[in-house]
Amino acid sequence: MTISDYETVRQWARGLREQWGDEPDMEQRYAVLQMFAEQVGKDPDAIIAECTREVDSGKRIRIKARRDYTEQIEVFQDSFEGNSRQQAKAANLVRSFFIHNGIFMQAGLGD
């Protein structure tokens, strides 16, 4: 299974297309997300599932899981090879994946 086969990744790609039109660098985005998924040891669908739970009124965000992933993104950013601008861009791509799957993320989020 490739990274683009996961439902949450397809959701992310759809959201980006709706927001920005065709994104020419999706393969680069997929590669960055793949690196993040490998770092945390989970596939994209499992990452999003860990951050949500079903309740009677719909999906709820698991605050602790979101906080944990915010920290993981910061670790990923620091370990990403490149200059500080490239590191920030990589972290923002990962945050975009969460956001387009209904999980608000921002740098240094403190709940």
Coordinates of all heavy atoms in Angstrom, one line a residue, residues 16-85:
L16 N -6.9 19.8 -0.3 CA -5.9 20.8 -0.9 C -6.4 21.2 -2.3 O -6.3 22.4 -2.6 CB -4.5 20.1 -1.0 CG -3.8 19.9 0.4 CD1 -2.5 19.1 0.1 CD2 -3.5 21.3 1.0
R17 N -6.9 20.2 -3.1 CA -7.4 20.6 -4.4 C -8.6 21.6 -4.3 O -8.7 22.5 -5.1 CB -7.8 19.3 -5.1 CG -6.7 18.6 -5.8 CD -7.2 17.5 -6.8 NE -8.1 16.6 -6.2 CZ -7.7 15.5 -5.5 NH1 -6.5 15.2 -5.3 NH2 -8.6 14.7 -5.0
E18 N -9.5 21.3 -3.4 CA -10.6 22.2 -3.2 C -10.2 23.6 -2.8 O -10.7 24.6 -3.2 CB -11.6 21.7 -2.1 CG -12.4 20.5 -2.6 CD -13.2 19.8 -1.5 OE1 -13.2 20.4 -0.4 OE2 -13.7 18.7 -1.7
Q19 N -9.2 23.7 -2.0 CA -8.7 25.0 -1.4 C -7.8 25.7 -2.4 O -7.9 26.9 -2.6 CB -7.9 24.7 -0.1 CG -7.5 26.0 0.6 CD -6.8 25.7 1.9 OE1 -6.6 24.5 2.3 NE2 -6.6 26.7 2.6
W20 N -6.9 25.0 -3.1 CA -5.9 25.6 -3.9 C -5.9 25.2 -5.4 O -5.1 25.8 -6.2 CB -4.5 25.3 -3.4 CG -4.3 25.6 -2.0 CD1 -4.3 24.8 -0.9 CD2 -4.1 26.9 -1.4 NE1 -4.1 25.5 0.3 CE2 -4.0 26.8 0.0 CE3 -4.1 28.2 -2.0 CZ2 -3.8 27.9 0.8 CZ3 -3.9 29.3 -1.1 CH2 -3.8 29.1 0.3
G21 N -6.8 24.3 -5.8 CA -6.7 23.8 -7.2 C -5.7 22.7 -7.2 O -5.3 22.1 -6.2
D22 N -5.2 22.3 -8.4 CA -4.2 21.3 -8.5 C -2.9 21.6 -7.8 O -2.4 22.7 -8.0 CB -3.9 21.0 -10.0 CG -5.1 20.2 -10.7 OD1 -5.8 19.6 -9.9 OD2 -5.2 20.3 -11.9
E23 N -2.4 20.7 -7.0 CA -1.2 20.9 -6.3 C -0.1 20.1 -7.0 O -0.1 18.9 -7.0 CB -1.3 20.4 -4.9 CG -2.1 21.3 -4.0 CD -1.5 22.6 -3.7 OE1 -0.3 22.7 -3.5 OE2 -2.3 23.6 -3.8
P24 N 0.9 20.8 -7.7 CA 1.9 20.1 -8.5 C 2.9 19.3 -7.7 O 3.5 18.4 -8.2 CB 2.6 21.3 -9.3 CG 2.3 22.5 -8.4 CD 1.0 22.3 -7.8
D25 N 3.0 19.6 -6.4 CA 4.0 19.0 -5.6 C 3.5 17.9 -4.7 O 4.1 17.7 -3.6 CB 4.9 20.0 -4.8 CG 4.0 20.8 -3.8 OD1 2.8 20.7 -3.9 OD2 4.6 21.5 -3.0
M26 N 2.4 17.3 -5.0 CA 1.8 16.3 -4.1 C 2.8 15.1 -3.8 O 2.8 14.6 -2.7 CB 0.5 15.7 -4.7 CG -0.7 16.7 -4.5 SD -0.9 17.3 -2.8 CE -1.4 15.9 -1.9
E27 N 3.6 14.7 -4.8 CA 4.5 13.6 -4.5 C 5.5 14.0 -3.4 O 5.8 13.2 -2.6 CB 5.2 13.2 -5.8 CG 4.3 12.5 -6.8 CD 3.6 11.3 -6.2 OE1 4.2 10.5 -5.5 OE2 2.4 11.2 -6.5
Q28 N 5.9 15.3 -3.4 CA 6.8 15.8 -2.4 C 6.1 15.8 -1.0 O 6.6 15.4 0.0 CB 7.3 17.2 -2.7 CG 8.2 17.8 -1.7 CD 8.6 19.2 -2.0 OE1 8.1 19.8 -2.9 NE2 9.5 19.7 -1.2
R29 N 4.8 16.2 -1.1 CA 4.0 16.2 0.2 C 3.8 14.8 0.7 O 3.9 14.6 1.9 CB 2.6 16.9 -0.1 CG 2.7 18.4 -0.4 CD 1.4 18.9 -0.9 NE 1.5 20.2 -1.3 CZ 1.1 21.3 -0.7 NH1 0.4 21.2 0.4 NH2 1.2 22.5 -1.2
Y30 N 3.5 13.9 -0.2 CA 3.4 12.5 0.2 C 4.7 12.0 0.9 O 4.6 11.3 1.9 CB 3.0 11.6 -1.0 CG 1.6 11.8 -1.5 CD1 1.4 11.5 -2.9 CD2 0.6 12.3 -0.8 CE1 0.1 11.7 -3.4 CE2 -0.7 12.5 -1.3 CZ -0.9 12.2 -2.7 OH -2.1 12.4 -3.2
A31 N 5.8 12.3 0.3 CA 7.1 11.9 0.8 C 7.3 12.4 2.2 O 7.8 11.7 3.1 CB 8.2 12.3 -0.1
V32 N 7.0 13.7 2.4 CA 7.2 14.3 3.8 C 6.2 13.6 4.8 O 6.7 13.2 5.9 CB 6.9 15.8 3.7 CG1 6.9 16.4 5.2 CG2 8.0 16.5 2.9
L33 N 5.0 13.4 4.4 CA 4.1 12.7 5.3 C 4.5 11.2 5.6 O 4.4 10.8 6.7 CB 2.7 12.7 4.7 CG 1.6 12.0 5.6 CD1 1.5 12.7 6.9 CD2 0.3 12.0 4.9
Q34 N 5.1 10.6 4.6 CA 5.6 9.2 4.8 C 6.7 9.2 5.8 O 6.8 8.4 6.7 CB 6.1 8.7 3.4 CG 6.7 7.3 3.5 CD 5.6 6.2 3.8 OE1 4.6 6.2 3.1 NE2 5.9 5.3 4.7
M35 N 7.6 10.2 5.7 CA 8.7 10.3 6.7 C 8.2 10.5 8.1 O 8.6 9.9 9.0 CB 9.6 11.5 6.3 CG 10.5 11.2 5.2 SD 11.7 12.5 4.9 CE 10.8 13.5 3.7
F36 N 7.1 11.4 8.2 CA 6.5 11.6 9.5 C 5.9 10.3 10.1 O 6.1 9.9 11.2 CB 5.5 12.7 9.5 CG 4.8 12.9 10.8 CD1 5.5 13.6 11.8 CD2 3.5 12.5 11.0 CE1 4.8 13.8 13.1 CE2 2.9 12.7 12.2 CZ 3.5 13.3 13.3
A37 N 5.1 9.6 9.2 CA 4.4 8.4 9.6 C 5.5 7.3 10.1 O 5.3 6.6 11.1 CB 3.6 7.8 8.5
E38 N 6.6 7.2 9.3 CA 7.6 6.3 9.7 C 8.2 6.7 11.1 O 8.5 5.8 11.9 CB 8.7 6.2 8.6 CG 8.2 5.5 7.4 CD 9.1 5.6 6.2 OE1 10.2 6.2 6.3 OE2 8.8 5.0 5.2
Q39 N 8.4 8.0 11.3 CA 9.0 8.5 12.5 C 8.1 8.1 13.7 O 8.6 7.7 14.8 CB 9.2 10.0 12.5 CG 9.8 10.5 13.8 CD 10.0 12.0 13.8 OE1 10.8 12.5 13.0 NE2 9.3 12.7 14.7
V40 N 6.8 8.2 13.6 CA 5.9 7.9 14.7 C 5.5 6.4 14.7 O 4.9 6.0 15.7 CB 4.7 8.8 14.7 CG1 5.1 10.3 14.9 CG2 3.8 8.6 13.5
G41 N 5.8 5.7 13.7 CA 5.6 4.3 13.6 C 4.1 3.9 13.4 O 3.7 2.8 13.9
K42 N 3.4 4.8 12.7 CA 1.9 4.5 12.4 C 1.6 4.9 11.0 O 2.2 5.9 10.5 CB 1.1 5.2 13.4 CG 1.3 4.8 14.9 CD 0.3 5.5 15.8 CE 0.4 4.9 17.2 NZ 1.2 5.6 18.1
D43 N 0.6 4.3 10.5 CA 0.1 4.7 9.1 C -0.8 5.9 9.3 O -1.3 6.2 10.4 CB -0.5 3.6 8.4 CG -1.9 3.2 8.9 OD1 -2.8 4.0 9.0 OD2 -2.0 2.0 9.3
P44 N -1.0 6.7 8.2 CA -1.8 7.9 8.3 C -3.2 7.7 8.9 O -3.7 8.5 9.7 CB -1.9 8.4 6.9 CG -0.6 7.9 6.3 CD -0.4 6.5 6.9
D45 N -3.9 6.6 8.5 CA -5.2 6.4 9.0 C -5.2 6.1 10.5 O -6.1 6.6 11.2 CB -5.9 5.2 8.3 CG -6.3 5.5 6.8 OD1 -6.2 6.7 6.4 OD2 -6.7 4.5 6.1
A46 N -4.2 5.4 11.0 CA -4.1 5.1 12.4 C -3.8 6.4 13.2 O -4.3 6.6 14.3 CB -3.0 4.1 12.6
I47 N -3.0 7.3 12.6 CA -2.7 8.6 13.3 C -3.9 9.4 13.5 O -4.2 9.8 14.6 CB -1.6 9.4 12.4 CG1 -0.3 8.7 12.4 CG2 -1.5 10.8 12.9 CD1 0.7 9.2 11.4
I48 N -4.7 9.5 12.5 CA -6.0 10.3 12.6 C -7.0 9.6 13.5 O -7.6 10.2 14.4 CB -6.6 10.6 11.2 CG1 -5.7 11.5 10.4 CG2 -8.0 11.2 11.4 CD1 -5.3 12.8 11.0
A49 N -7.1 8.3 13.4 CA -8.0 7.5 14.3 C -7.6 7.7 15.8 O -8.5 7.8 16.7 CB -8.0 6.0 13.9
E50 N -6.3 7.8 16.0 CA -5.8 7.9 17.4 C -6.2 9.3 18.0 O -6.4 9.4 19.2 CB -4.3 7.8 17.4 CG -3.7 7.6 18.8 CD -2.2 7.3 18.8 OE1 -1.8 6.5 18.0 OE2 -1.5 7.9 19.6
C51 N -6.4 10.3 17.1 CA -6.8 11.6 17.6 C -8.2 11.9 17.7 O -8.7 13.0 18.1 CB -6.2 12.6 16.6 SG -4.4 12.7 16.6
T52 N -9.1 10.9 17.3 CA -10.5 11.1 17.4 C -11.2 10.0 18.1 O -10.6 8.9 18.2 CB -11.1 11.2 15.9 OG1 -10.8 10.0 15.2 CG2 -10.6 12.4 15.2
R53 N -12.4 10.2 18.5 CA -13.2 9.2 19.1 C -14.7 9.5 18.7 O -15.1 10.6 18.6 CB -13.1 9.0 20.6 CG -13.5 10.2 21.4 CD -13.2 10.1 22.8 NE -13.4 11.3 23.5 CZ -14.5 11.7 24.2 NH1 -15.5 10.8 24.3 NH2 -14.5 12.8 24.8
E54 N -15.4 8.4 18.5 CA -16.8 8.5 18.1 C -17.7 8.7 19.4 O -17.5 8.0 20.4 CB -17.3 7.3 17.4 CG -16.8 7.2 16.0 CD -17.2 8.2 15.0 OE1 -18.4 8.7 15.2 OE2 -16.4 8.5 14.1
V55 N -18.6 9.7 19.4 CA -19.5 9.9 20.4 C -20.9 10.0 19.8 O -21.0 10.1 18.6 CB -19.2 11.1 21.3 CG1 -17.9 11.0 22.1 CG2 -19.2 12.4 20.5
D56 N -22.0 10.1 20.6 CA -23.3 10.1 20.0 C -23.5 11.3 19.1 O -24.2 11.2 18.1 CB -24.4 10.2 21.2 CG -24.4 8.9 22.0 OD1 -24.0 7.9 21.4 OD2 -24.9 9.0 23.1
S57 N -22.9 12.4 19.4 CA -23.1 13.6 18.5 C -22.1 13.7 17.3 O -22.1 14.6 16.6 CB -22.9 14.9 19.4 OG -21.6 14.9 20.0
G58 N -21.2 12.6 17.2 CA -20.3 12.6 16.1 C -18.9 12.4 16.6 O -18.7 11.7 17.6
K59 N -17.9 12.9 15.8 CA -16.5 12.7 16.2 C -16.0 13.8 17.2 O -16.4 14.9 17.1 CB -15.6 12.8 15.0 CG -15.6 11.5 14.2 CD -14.5 11.5 13.2 CE -14.4 10.2 12.5 NZ -13.4 10.1 11.4
R60 N -15.2 13.4 18.1 CA -14.6 14.3 19.1 C -13.1 14.2 19.0 O -12.6 13.1 18.7 CB -15.0 14.0 20.5 CG -16.5 14.0 20.8 CD -17.0 15.4 20.9 NE -16.3 16.1 22.0 CZ -16.7 17.1 22.7 NH1 -17.9 17.5 22.5 NH2 -16.0 17.6 23.6
I61 N -12.4 15.3 19.2 CA -11.0 15.3 19.2 C -10.4 14.8 20.6 O -10.9 15.3 21.6 CB -10.4 16.7 18.9 CG1 -11.0 17.2 17.6 CG2 -8.9 16.7 18.9 CD1 -10.7 16.4 16.4
R62 N -9.5 13.9 20.5 CA -8.8 13.5 21.7 C -7.7 14.5 22.0 O -6.6 14.5 21.3 CB -8.2 12.1 21.6 CG -9.2 11.0 21.4 CD -8.6 9.7 21.3 NE -9.5 8.6 21.0 CZ -10.0 7.8 22.0 NH1 -9.5 7.9 23.2 NH2 -10.9 6.9 21.7
I63 N -7.8 15.4 23.0 CA -6.9 16.5 23.2 C -5.5 15.9 23.6 O -4.5 16.5 23.1 CB -7.4 17.4 24.4 CG1 -8.8 17.9 24.0 CG2 -6.4 18.4 24.7 CD1 -8.8 18.8 22.8
K64 N -5.4 14.9 24.4 CA -4.1 14.4 24.7 C -3.4 13.9 23.5 O -2.2 14.1 23.3 CB -4.2 13.3 25.8 CG -2.8 12.8 26.2 CD -2.9 11.7 27.2 CE -1.6 11.2 27.7 NZ -0.6 11.0 26.8
A65 N -4.1 13.1 22.6 CA -3.4 12.6 21.4 C -3.0 13.8 20.5 O -1.9 13.8 19.9 CB -4.4 11.7 20.7
R66 N -3.9 14.8 20.4 CA -3.5 16.0 19.6 C -2.3 16.6 20.1 O -1.3 17.0 19.4 CB -4.7 16.9 19.5 CG -4.3 18.2 18.6 CD -5.5 19.1 18.4 NE -5.7 19.8 19.7 CZ -6.6 20.7 19.8 NH1 -7.4 21.0 18.8 NH2 -6.8 21.3 21.0
R67 N -2.2 16.8 21.4 CA -1.0 17.4 22.1 C 0.2 16.6 21.8 O 1.3 17.1 21.5 CB -1.3 17.5 23.6 CG -0.2 18.3 24.3 CD -0.5 18.5 25.8 NE -1.7 19.1 26.0 CZ -2.7 18.6 26.7 NH1 -2.6 17.5 27.4 NH2 -3.9 19.3 26.9
D68 N 0.1 15.2 21.9 CA 1.2 14.3 21.7 C 1.7 14.5 20.2 O 2.9 14.5 20.0 CB 0.8 12.9 21.9 CG 0.7 12.6 23.4 OD1 1.1 13.4 24.3 OD2 0.1 11.5 23.7
Y69 N 0.8 14.6 19.3 CA 1.2 14.7 17.9 C 1.8 16.1 17.6 O 2.7 16.3 16.7 CB 0.1 14.4 16.9 CG 0.0 12.9 16.7 CD1 -1.1 12.1 17.3 CD2 1.0 12.2 16.0 CE1 -1.1 10.8 17.1 CE2 0.9 10.8 15.8 CZ -0.1 10.1 16.4 OH -0.1 8.7 16.2
T70 N 1.3 17.1 18.3 CA 1.9 18.4 18.2 C 3.4 18.4 18.5 O 4.2 18.9 17.8 CB 1.2 19.5 19.0 OG1 -0.2 19.6 18.6 CG2 1.8 20.8 19.0
E71 N 3.7 17.7 19.6 CA 5.1 17.5 20.0 C 5.8 16.7 19.0 O 7.0 17.0 18.7 CB 5.1 16.8 21.4 CG 4.6 17.7 22.5 CD 4.4 17.0 23.9 OE1 4.8 15.9 24.0 OE2 3.9 17.7 24.8
Q72 N 5.2 15.6 18.5 CA 5.9 14.8 17.5 C 6.2 15.6 16.2 O 7.3 15.4 15.6 CB 5.0 13.6 17.1 CG 4.9 12.5 18.2 CD 6.3 11.8 18.3 OE1 7.1 11.7 17.5 NE2 6.5 11.2 19.5
I73 N 5.3 16.5 15.9 CA 5.6 17.3 14.7 C 6.8 18.2 15.0 O 7.6 18.4 14.1 CB 4.3 18.2 14.3 CG1 3.3 17.2 13.8 CG2 4.7 19.2 13.2 CD1 1.9 17.9 13.6
E74 N 6.9 18.8 16.2 CA 8.0 19.6 16.5 C 9.3 18.8 16.5 O 10.4 19.3 16.0 CB 7.8 20.3 17.9 CG 6.7 21.3 17.8 CD 6.4 21.9 19.2 OE1 7.1 21.6 20.2 OE2 5.3 22.6 19.3
V75 N 9.3 17.6 17.0 CA 10.5 16.7 16.9 C 10.8 16.4 15.4 O 12.0 16.5 15.0 CB 10.2 15.4 17.7 CG1 11.3 14.3 17.4 CG2 10.1 15.6 19.2
F76 N 9.8 16.1 14.6 CA 10.0 15.9 13.2 C 10.6 17.1 12.5 O 11.6 17.0 11.8 CB 8.7 15.6 12.5 CG 8.7 15.3 11.1 CD1 9.4 14.2 10.5 CD2 8.2 16.3 10.2 CE1 9.4 14.0 9.2 CE2 8.2 16.1 8.8 CZ 8.9 15.0 8.3
Q77 N 10.1 18.3 12.8 CA 10.7 19.5 12.3 C 12.2 19.6 12.6 O 13.0 19.9 11.7 CB 9.9 20.7 12.8 CG 10.4 22.0 12.2 CD 9.6 23.2 12.7 OE1 8.4 23.1 13.0 NE2 10.1 24.4 12.6
D78 N 12.5 19.4 13.8 CA 13.9 19.6 14.3 C 14.8 18.5 13.6 O 16.0 18.8 13.4 CB 14.0 19.4 15.8 CG 13.4 20.6 16.5 OD1 13.2 21.7 15.9 OD2 13.1 20.5 17.7
S79 N 14.3 17.4 13.3 CA 15.1 16.3 12.7 C 15.1 16.3 11.2 O 15.9 15.6 10.6 CB 14.6 14.9 13.2 OG 13.3 14.6 12.7
F80 N 14.2 17.1 10.6 CA 14.1 17.2 9.1 C 15.4 17.8 8.5 O 15.8 18.8 9.0 CB 12.9 18.0 8.7 CG 12.5 17.8 7.2 CD1 11.8 16.8 6.8 CD2 13.0 18.8 6.3 CE1 11.5 16.6 5.4 CE2 12.7 18.7 5.0 CZ 11.9 17.6 4.5
E81 N 16.0 17.1 7.5 CA 17.2 17.6 6.9 C 16.9 18.8 6.1 O 16.0 18.8 5.2 CB 17.9 16.5 6.1 CG 18.5 15.5 7.0 CD 19.5 14.7 6.3 OE1 20.1 15.1 5.3 OE2 19.8 13.6 6.8
G82 N 17.6 19.9 6.3 CA 17.5 21.1 5.5 C 17.6 22.3 6.4 O 17.9 22.2 7.6
N83 N 17.5 23.5 5.8 CA 17.6 24.7 6.5 C 16.3 24.9 7.3 O 15.3 24.2 7.2 CB 17.9 25.9 5.6 CG 16.8 26.2 4.6 OD1 15.6 26.0 4.8 ND2 17.3 26.5 3.4
S84 N 16.3 25.9 8.2 CA 15.1 26.2 9.0 C 13.8 26.4 8.2 O 12.7 26.0 8.7 CB 15.4 27.3 10.0 OG 15.6 28.5 9.3
R85 N 13.9 27.0 7.1 CA 12.7 27.3 6.3 C 12.2 25.9 5.7 O 11.0 25.7 5.8 CB 13.1 28.2 5.1 CG 11.9 28.6 4.3 CD 12.3 29.6 3.3 NE 11.2 30.0 2.5 CZ 11.2 30.9 1.5 NH1 12.3 31.5 1.2 NH2 10.1 31.1 0.8

